[in-house]
Amino acid sequence: MPAASHTYAFLGPEGTFTEAALLQVPDALQAVRVPASNVNAALDLVRDGAADAAMVPIENSVEGGVTATLDAISGGPELRIVREVLVPITFVLVAGPGVRLEDVRRISTHGHAWAQCRLWMDKNIPEAEFVPGSSTAAAAVGLLDKDCHYDAAICAPLVAREHAGLSVLAENIGDNHGAVTRFILVSRPEVLPAPTGADKTTVAVPLPEDRPGALMEILDQFASRGVNLSRIESRPTGQYLGHYFFSIDADGHVGDARVADALAGLHRISPATRFLGSYPRADGQASQVAPHTSDEAFSAARSWVESILSGERPAGENGFAASPTA
Amino acid sequence: MPAASHTYAFLGPEGTFTEAALLQVPDALQAVRVPASNVNAALDLVRDGAADAAMVPIENSVEGGVTATLDAISGGPELRIVREVLVPITFVLVAGPGVRLEDVRRISTHGHAWAQCRLWMDKNIPEAEFVPGSSTAAAAVGLLDKDCHYDAAICAPLVAREHAGLSVLAENIGDNHGAVTRFILVSRPEVLPAPTGADKTTVAVPLPEDRPGALMEILDQFASRGVNLSRIESRPTGQYLGHYFFSIDADGHVGDARVADALAGLHRISPATRFLGSYPRADGQASQVAPHTSDEAFSAARSWVESILSGERPAGENGFAASPTA
Amino acid sequence: MPAASHTYAFLGPEGTFTEAALLQVPDALQAVRVPASNVNAALDLVRDGAADAAMVPIENSVEGGVTATLDAISGGPELRIVREVLVPITFVLVAGPGVRLEDVRRISTHGHAWAQCRLWMDKNIPEAEFVPGSSTAAAAVGLLDKDCHYDAAICAPLVAREHAGLSVLAENIGDNHGAVTRFILVSRPEVLPAPTGADKTTVAVPLPEDRPGALMEILDQFASRGVNLSRIESRPTGQYLGHYFFSIDADGHVGDARVADALAGLHRISPATRFLGSYPRADGQASQVAPHTSDEAFSAARSWVESILSGERPAGENGFAASPTA
Amino acid sequence: MPAASHTYAFLGPEGTFTEAALLQVPDALQAVRVPASNVNAALDLVRDGAADAAMVPIENSVEGGVTATLDAISGGPELRIVREVLVPITFVLVAGPGVRLEDVRRISTHGHAWAQCRLWMDKNIPEAEFVPGSSTAAAAVGLLDKDCHYDAAICAPLVAREHAGLSVLAENIGDNHGAVTRFILVSRPEVLPAPTGADKTTVAVPLPEDRPGALMEILDQFASRGVNLSRIESRPTGQYLGHYFFSIDADGHVGDARVADALAGLHRISPATRFLGSYPRADGQASQVAPHTSDEAFSAARSWVESILSGERPAGENGFAASPTA
């Protein structure tokens, strides 16, 4: 008998891009997978201990949820991002048994997915009629109802694979080839993945005061340590009008001295700053580190200051100024 | 016979928070209002001349569309934001005729709206079952179908007013009182609303290069002129991996010297910067302007530099340094 | 028999403002005082162990030497500034026995001192003739030579007190009342005065590269920690054309966390940065410290980062974002 | 009969490095040259119209005067720097007729010059005795007095050429080969030399307030326009304790758009900023100009903002965001 497997929550329903993201996690296929009706519900399963982790969207132009994710991980009991997953936005047109492409008139999907397949539609089914669905997967699964009132659905390839009754009429019908959605796997706060050299760190930083310059001070904590940002979004905290926090993805791991130093700087400026995780980048791209922001440079700088404080005389320094007596 | 009225597109369907936003526009009640199935469709009605303007979401945790709006106004033929509208997030529970609160079990709404009414649900209808809808309005209108398979819907107050067959079972059931959604009215690029002293300017700025500091340079254009930011979001351009643009709301109007100067700075750093409009703030809050960033300060500075270039000797200057001969 | 007293070198000759500065050091009156013919010679007496410390000018519009001091302490074996002294610039007109003010025609002094007494001269001795001297003190002492070819000298009050043969014809004849000269007492590098709350820290920072922005990076190390600067001067290093170092006075003591952190930042950017001392300010003015740059803020920030790295779950954090589940 | 020649003042006496600098000005050899006893006196000759221009030191470790120059051009009636001159620091040992090197014991010069020839002295005349002089030139000329009480003088090569009675005993005796002194030619404010592509601009900027960040704001005006600085010095204004101004040399000419824009920024932050001239660099090194700080970039940015303000629709913009409808 096998050991108890993991339990993963995800933003449902089954068959969406979010479940496709979850299936990229090595042991997810064997794990218990629990669809949740919204991001908060998925995260609460983790907070309550009912799930080990939850997969939720962080950058997704198809099915939404990003704002909910940003807000949910920044409020409530603390959580940690432990993994990032990219899923290509690939749409298929599916129908029930026996339906042919030329029969299709009424098509259901999520409104955003519909918007992203318009060029293909205009060319191939110009007379198509849009039937709004609550998600791409729900639209696809709805085809299996015997009293379904539409002919086909636009969805992720996954849902077609999961339901034998669905057949794919056309593949790769999205207008923007190469687009991706981005998801995060969220766990409880005691987890901190080891540095890999190609990591990302996510923080949520409330703006200390609504004045010109406060945002600059925050970003300067990264820039002055050579830490590149790959995402920034301001969000109202809901505490009072004009009060914001910034959700930020930065290159590197809190175990890197330059990132740790930047986080310390953030904490001083905005003590309610929330650390949301250091985790491997999905694209595996290693961070560029300038010599003066390397761990060695930080270590050497700290030693130098300590030698001053301890009154030890640093040996072998000759200075740099022109001096006849040097 | 009245003069031809305006035509307004909006992110549909009817009865959503977006239509509620549109109805705040003075002449919208008399105008032709055209629901569009997605943000791009709404904006294209403006671009094609079929509509005078379109109301679309820019900050909305209930029904999504924000990402689509940011991308759509930053790409394609140029458009202009001409107005900002705030709508309080107020949810009501509606049902068909004769249904009482204690009868309600199955409730439909958009997934995000469901998430935002959970505390009320847990307290008042703990055994409620969620039926996903494609929008809050679609869920409400669905109740009017005779074969509707759910008992009630969570929606904006507007949809209940628009449909006589719906009765309100409970008001103000959202968990986060005071939250608002934010919408923009978008028109063709020749429109530039006059400055009011309480304005906002929106730009989309592609990051010139993926290096530490480029984002700082962009934000410094605002900070160094004392221009406060109220929103910033990074978005992938889709041109290549790691290429971003920043969607930014700044205080003030391009007719203010400090904003014009900041925009000129942005254009130099990132010549593809797109100006998306200067328009009155929905909250009417006047910008704080420090003396050294006032129109007068900019004008005086320009005159001073011109007097140097023209070789005129500025009169009456005594300098500031200690000088025995002064 | 008394214990061996200290030996102090100073930029001579005797009777200058520099010796006046030295006499402000509590035990200098009882100490051995050695005039040196130039700043390097004074500092070499300290480096060689022949003197315990040397008083040299750091801001002095009367008798020069500032540039030499900046260069000499930045090159050669390391030294430490241990005290700062301010001396008011007060000039007196002195003459030998029996000379009256109305007899004075030819006046000797240092060229810079002459420039600073011109208004008084124009009013009181308009026909005065200037005889250049190598220092104010040398000019005064020269009056005691029997074959002296001038009638009076402009000098510091000290020299008149030191030589019985000189009588003061007029006091306080400088044009700029309230001006001061500034001096530093320099010792060997093992000395680090204790923090007093009203301290100053001096560093010499070679510019890492001649590019726009490098100077900003250096100054940002101070600004981003709320450390105010009271002096900055660029000096050529003499290593190659266009290579500079910056001599900087900053508020605070290296024992203050914000100063230590700024120094560590400088060391990373410019590893040849030279620490030249933390010492009490002559004016006794306490540093203004913002809450987010206090020792407590630095300590809290460090603890927070360490709790993340150790995997401890920070207790009691509720986050700040609007969250229905919070 | 020749046309009236120019009149040049200079910091005297004759034969110093300052006169050597003046002789580099093309028509100075034919001009009237007036030595002044101090920097203020030299500049006043220009202010009064008695001289067309004055040569004074701006970076000079030999004979001082730099501080006096910085203060004098920043206070009093406005002046303009019109030229920069570099003079190599080359010292010679001179003596009267018939004196041989081996006879020399007592040597006079300015104290700073003495400090800069010590290595040569230690090696060649270890028993030499220093006799302080008021300037290098005065020491040399003093040798021509029949009752001169020293044997030789250290001075600039110029003074030996100017006085037939002096013979050079040793050349190039300075310890720091390659060092230079820097001088400026100062005229009345109506003069503005034409841009050459290799120019320098000097300004004096009073610190608006004694707070962390004000200096950064000043320097940011240059950095944000890609304008490199080659010199910066803080100086007390003498107005009240802790009030400073910054004397700054920046690359480029006020006729360059990036420099004009930076000056306008300075004027806003610190309206008492004093423009002290744009003039050719002595080293002829052309400024590096990044594309985004070129005159073209400034002109394009201005046109773009004007097209927005005028309501003209910029043609041919397609935006950059991924958009299915683009």
Side-chain angles (χ1 to χ4, degrees):
Chain A
M1 197 181 116
S5 71
H6 282 115
T7 298
Y8 290 111
F10 66 99
L11 175 62
E14 285 160 339
T16 57
F17 288 97
T18 311
E19 194 186 20
L22 178 56
L23 290 173
Q24 289 191 24
V25 177
D27 70 343
L29 214 58
Q30 289 75 43
V32 178
R33 299 192 298 278
V34 183
S37 66
N38 58 67
V39 170
N40 272 308
L43 296 178
D44 281 354
L45 290 173
V46 180
R47 283 173 169 137
D48 299 347
D52 297 293
M55 184 67 76
V56 289
I58 194 79
E59 204 168 278
N60 181 352
S61 60
V62 184
E63 293 160 327
V66 172
T67 302
T69 298
L70 292 179
D71 291 355
I73 59 179
S74 302
E78 208 169 323
L79 292 167
R80 286 285 157 81
I81 305 171
V82 294
R83 179 187 280 264
E84 173 190 44
V85 174
L86 298 177
V87 178
I89 300 183
T90 315
F91 294 109
V92 295
L93 186 71
V94 297
V99 177
R100 294 171 310 170
L101 186 55
E102 52 266 39
D103 302 332
V104 172
R105 285 299 165 279
R106 291 169 56 84
I107 301 174
S108 183
T109 194
H110 191 282
H112 299 149
W114 181 252
Q116 293 178 41
C117 298
R118 283 179 50 191
L119 295 184
W120 188 91
M121 284 294 153
D122 287 352
K123 191 173 168 202
N124 294 280
I125 319 180
E127 69 277 39
E129 184 188 338
F130 171 50
V131 178
S134 65
S135 74
T136 56
V141 172
L143 290 165
L144 302 176
D145 282 359
K146 60 178 179 297
D147 55 351
C148 180
H149 55 296
Y150 49 88
D151 309 317
I154 295 171
C155 60
L158 176 64
V159 72
R161 285 200 300 274
E162 289 183 341
H163 294 90
L166 297 175
S167 64
V168 173
L169 300 184
E171 289 187 313
N172 210 12
I173 67 174
D175 301 329
N176 188 3
H177 302 281
V180 295
T181 47
R182 206 154 63 79
F183 300 86
I184 50 176
L185 187 66
V186 176
S187 188
R188 281 180 290 277
E190 53 275 12
V191 186
L192 181 65
T196 67
D199 304 291
K200 202 175 259 196
T201 291
T202 300
V203 288
V205 189
L207 193 66
E209 244 177 286
D210 182 25
R211 53 177 162 119
L215 172 57
M216 290 292 283
E217 275 180 64
I218 288 172
L219 299 185
D220 186 43
Q221 302 305 315
F222 297 102
S224 65
R225 279 91 175 184
V227 177
N228 204 21
L229 304 186
S230 57
R231 188 183 56 78
I232 177 167
E233 292 180 55
S234 61
R235 290 285 309 151
T237 59
Q239 293 180 354
Y240 54 87
L241 199 70
H243 191 227
Y244 297 91
F245 75 95
F246 294 92
S247 175
I248 294 172
D249 284 357
D251 285 3
H253 192 283
V254 62
D256 299 329
R258 68 191 182 287
V259 176
D261 207 51
L263 291 189
L266 289 178
H267 185 90
R268 284 191 289 108
I269 293 175
S270 183
T273 292
R274 177 172 276 206
F275 173 74
L276 290 170
S278 288
Y279 48 92
R281 293 170 64 114
D283 62 11
Q285 240 181 340
S287 298
Q288 299 294 324
V289 183
H292 73 282
T293 62
S294 65
D295 283 6
E296 291 71 32
F298 274 91
S299 169
R302 203 176 309 117
S303 300
W304 178 70
V305 171
E306 276 161 17
S307 77
I308 292 169
L309 286 169
S310 69
E312 287 168 38
R313 181 174 186 168
E317 297 202 27
N318 283 314
F320 41 78
S323 169
T325 68
Chain B
M1 198 180 116
S5 71
H6 283 115
T7 297
Y8 290 111
F10 66 99
L11 174 64
E14 285 160 336
T16 57
F17 288 98
T18 312
E19 193 185 20
L22 178 56
L23 290 174
Q24 290 191 24
V25 177
D27 71 344
L29 214 58
Q30 289 76 44
V32 179
R33 299 192 299 278
V34 182
S37 67
N38 58 66
V39 170
N40 271 308
L43 296 179
D44 281 355
L45 289 172
V46 179
R47 283 175 170 135
D48 299 347
D52 296 293
M55 184 66 75
V56 289
I58 194 78
E59 203 168 278
N60 181 352
S61 59
V62 184
E63 291 161 328
V66 171
T67 302
T69 296
L70 292 180
D71 291 354
I73 59 179
S74 302
E78 209 169 320
L79 292 168
R80 286 285 157 79
I81 304 171
V82 295
R83 178 187 281 264
E84 172 190 46
V85 174
L86 298 178
V87 178
I89 300 183
T90 314
F91 294 108
V92 295
L93 186 71
V94 297
V99 177
R100 293 170 311 169
L101 186 55
E102 51 268 40
D103 301 332
V104 172
R105 284 301 166 274
R106 291 169 57 84
I107 301 173
S108 183
T109 195
H110 191 283
H112 299 150
W114 181 254
Q116 294 178 40
C117 299
R118 283 179 50 191
L119 294 185
W120 188 91
M121 284 294 153
D122 287 352
K123 192 174 167 199
N124 295 281
I125 319 181
E127 67 278 33
E129 184 188 339
F130 171 50
V131 178
S134 65
S135 74
T136 56
V141 172
L143 289 165
L144 303 176
D145 282 358
K146 63 176 174 300
D147 55 354
C148 180
H149 56 297
Y150 49 86
D151 309 317
I154 295 171
C155 60
L158 177 64
V159 72
R161 286 200 299 276
E162 289 183 340
H163 294 91
L166 296 176
S167 65
V168 173
L169 300 185
E171 290 187 312
N172 211 12
I173 66 173
D175 299 330
N176 189 1
H177 303 282
V180 295
T181 47
R182 207 155 63 80
F183 300 86
I184 50 176
L185 187 66
V186 176
S187 188
R188 283 180 290 277
E190 54 275 11
V191 186
L192 181 64
T196 67
D199 304 291
K200 202 175 259 196
T201 293
T202 301
V203 288
V205 189
L207 192 65
E209 246 177 284
D210 183 25
R211 54 178 160 115
L215 171 57
M216 290 292 282
E217 275 181 63
I218 288 172
L219 299 185
D220 185 42
Q221 301 305 316
F222 297 102
S224 65
R225 280 92 175 183
V227 177
N228 205 20
L229 304 186
S230 57
R231 187 184 56 79
I232 177 166
E233 292 180 56
S234 62
R235 290 285 309 151
T237 59
Q239 293 180 355
Y240 53 87
L241 200 71
H243 191 227
Y244 296 91
F245 75 93
F246 294 91
S247 175
I248 294 172
D249 285 356
D251 285 3
H253 192 283
V254 63
D256 300 329
R258 69 192 181 286
V259 176
D261 208 51
L263 292 189
L266 288 178
H267 185 89
R268 284 190 290 107
I269 292 174
S270 183
T273 291
R274 177 171 273 204
F275 173 74
L276 290 170
S278 288
Y279 48 92
R281 293 171 63 113
D283 62 11
Q285 239 181 343
S287 298
Q288 300 295 323
V289 184
H292 73 283
T293 62
S294 65
D295 283 7
E296 291 70 32
F298 274 91
S299 168
R302 205 177 307 114
S303 300
W304 179 70
V305 171
E306 276 161 16
S307 76
I308 291 169
L309 286 169
S310 69
E312 287 168 38
R313 181 176 185 166
E317 297 203 26
N318 283 313
F320 41 78
S323 169
T325 69
Chain C
M1 195 180 121
S5 71
H6 282 115
T7 298
Y8 291 111
F10 66 99
L11 175 63
E14 285 160 339
T16 58
F17 288 97
T18 311
E19 193 185 21
L22 178 57
L23 290 174
Q24 289 190 27
V25 177
D27 69 344
L29 215 57
Q30 289 75 43
V32 178
R33 297 192 300 278
V34 182
S37 67
N38 57 67
V39 170
N40 272 308
L43 296 180
D44 281 354
L45 290 173
V46 179
R47 285 177 168 132
D48 300 346
D52 297 292
M55 184 66 76
V56 288
I58 193 79
E59 203 169 278
N60 181 350
S61 60
V62 184
E63 291 160 326
V66 172
T67 302
T69 297
L70 292 180
D71 291 354
I73 59 179
S74 302
E78 208 168 323
L79 291 167
R80 287 283 158 80
I81 305 171
V82 294
R83 178 188 282 263
E84 172 190 47
V85 174
L86 298 177
V87 178
I89 301 183
T90 314
F91 293 108
V92 294
L93 185 72
V94 296
V99 177
R100 294 170 310 168
L101 185 55
E102 52 266 39
D103 301 331
V104 172
R105 284 298 166 277
R106 292 170 55 85
I107 302 174
S108 183
T109 194
H110 191 281
H112 299 150
W114 179 253
Q116 293 177 42
C117 298
R118 282 181 49 193
L119 295 184
W120 189 91
M121 283 294 154
D122 288 351
K123 192 172 166 204
N124 295 281
I125 319 181
E127 68 278 36
E129 184 187 339
F130 171 50
V131 178
S134 64
S135 73
T136 55
V141 172
L143 290 166
L144 304 177
D145 281 359
K146 62 177 176 300
D147 54 354
C148 180
H149 56 295
Y150 49 87
D151 310 316
I154 296 172
C155 58
L158 176 65
V159 72
R161 285 200 299 276
E162 289 182 342
H163 294 90
L166 297 176
S167 63
V168 174
L169 299 184
E171 288 188 314
N172 210 11
I173 66 173
D175 300 330
N176 188 2
H177 302 282
V180 295
T181 47
R182 206 155 63 78
F183 300 85
I184 51 175
L185 187 67
V186 176
S187 187
R188 282 179 292 276
E190 54 274 13
V191 185
L192 181 65
T196 66
D199 304 291
K200 203 174 258 197
T201 293
T202 300
V203 289
V205 189
L207 193 65
E209 246 177 285
D210 183 25
R211 54 178 162 116
L215 173 57
M216 289 292 282
E217 277 181 63
I218 288 171
L219 298 185
D220 186 43
Q221 301 306 316
F222 297 102
S224 65
R225 278 92 175 182
V227 176
N228 205 21
L229 305 187
S230 56
R231 186 183 56 80
I232 177 168
E233 292 179 54
S234 61
R235 290 284 310 151
T237 59
Q239 293 181 353
Y240 53 87
L241 200 70
H243 191 227
Y244 296 92
F245 74 94
F246 294 91
S247 175
I248 294 172
D249 285 357
D251 284 3
H253 192 283
V254 64
D256 300 329
R258 68 191 183 287
V259 176
D261 207 51
L263 292 188
L266 288 178
H267 185 90
R268 283 191 291 108
I269 293 174
S270 184
T273 291
R274 176 172 275 207
F275 173 76
L276 290 170
S278 288
Y279 48 92
R281 293 172 63 115
D283 62 11
Q285 239 180 344
S287 299
Q288 298 297 322
V289 183
H292 73 282
T293 61
S294 65
D295 283 6
E296 291 70 31
F298 274 90
S299 169
R302 205 177 307 115
S303 299
W304 179 71
V305 171
E306 275 161 17
S307 77
I308 291 169
L309 286 169
S310 70
E312 285 168 39
R313 180 176 187 166
E317 297 204 25
N318 283 313
F320 42 78
S323 169
T325 69
Chain D
M1 195 181 119
S5 71
H6 283 115
T7 298
Y8 290 111
F10 67 99
L11 175 63
E14 285 161 338
T16 58
F17 288 97
T18 311
E19 193 185 20
L22 178 57
L23 290 174
Q24 289 192 25
V25 177
D27 69 343
L29 214 57
Q30 290 76 43
V32 178
R33 298 192 300 279
V34 183
S37 67
N38 57 67
V39 170
N40 271 309
L43 295 180
D44 281 354
L45 290 173
V46 179
R47 283 176 170 135
D48 299 347
D52 296 291
M55 185 66 77
V56 289
I58 194 78
E59 205 169 275
N60 181 349
S61 59
V62 184
E63 291 161 326
V66 171
T67 301
T69 297
L70 292 180
D71 291 353
I73 60 179
S74 303
E78 209 168 320
L79 292 167
R80 286 285 157 79
I81 304 171
V82 294
R83 178 188 281 266
E84 173 190 45
V85 174
L86 298 177
V87 178
I89 301 183
T90 314
F91 294 108
V92 294
L93 186 72
V94 297
V99 177
R100 294 170 310 168
L101 185 54
E102 52 266 40
D103 302 332
V104 172
R105 284 296 166 279
R106 291 168 56 85
I107 301 174
S108 183
T109 193
H110 191 282
H112 299 149
W114 180 253
Q116 293 177 42
C117 298
R118 283 179 49 192
L119 294 185
W120 189 92
M121 284 294 153
D122 286 352
K123 191 173 165 201
N124 294 281
I125 319 182
E127 69 278 36
E129 183 189 339
F130 171 51
V131 178
S134 66
S135 73
T136 55
V141 172
L143 289 166
L144 303 176
D145 282 358
K146 60 178 179 299
D147 55 352
C148 180
H149 56 295
Y150 49 88
D151 310 316
I154 296 172
C155 60
L158 177 64
V159 73
R161 285 201 300 276
E162 289 183 342
H163 294 90
L166 296 176
S167 64
V168 174
L169 300 184
E171 288 189 313
N172 211 12
I173 66 172
D175 300 329
N176 188 3
H177 302 281
V180 295
T181 48
R182 206 154 64 78
F183 300 85
I184 51 176
L185 187 67
V186 176
S187 187
R188 281 180 292 276
E190 54 274 11
V191 186
L192 181 65
T196 66
D199 304 292
K200 203 174 256 196
T201 293
T202 300
V203 287
V205 189
L207 192 67
E209 246 176 286
D210 182 24
R211 53 176 163 119
L215 172 57
M216 290 292 281
E217 276 182 64
I218 288 171
L219 299 185
D220 186 43
Q221 302 305 316
F222 297 101
S224 65
R225 279 91 174 181
V227 176
N228 205 21
L229 305 186
S230 56
R231 187 183 55 80
I232 177 166
E233 292 180 56
S234 61
R235 290 284 309 150
T237 60
Q239 293 180 354
Y240 53 88
L241 199 70
H243 191 227
Y244 296 92
F245 75 94
F246 294 92
S247 175
I248 294 173
D249 286 356
D251 285 3
H253 192 283
V254 64
D256 300 329
R258 68 191 183 287
V259 177
D261 208 51
L263 292 189
L266 288 179
H267 185 90
R268 284 190 291 107
I269 292 174
S270 184
T273 291
R274 176 171 274 207
F275 173 75
L276 290 170
S278 287
Y279 48 91
R281 292 170 63 113
D283 63 10
Q285 239 182 342
S287 298
Q288 298 296 322
V289 183
H292 73 282
T293 61
S294 65
D295 283 7
E296 292 70 31
F298 274 91
S299 169
R302 205 177 307 115
S303 300
W304 178 72
V305 171
E306 275 161 16
S307 77
I308 291 170
L309 286 169
S310 69
E312 285 169 39
R313 182 178 184 166
E317 298 203 26
N318 282 313
F320 42 79
S323 170
T325 70

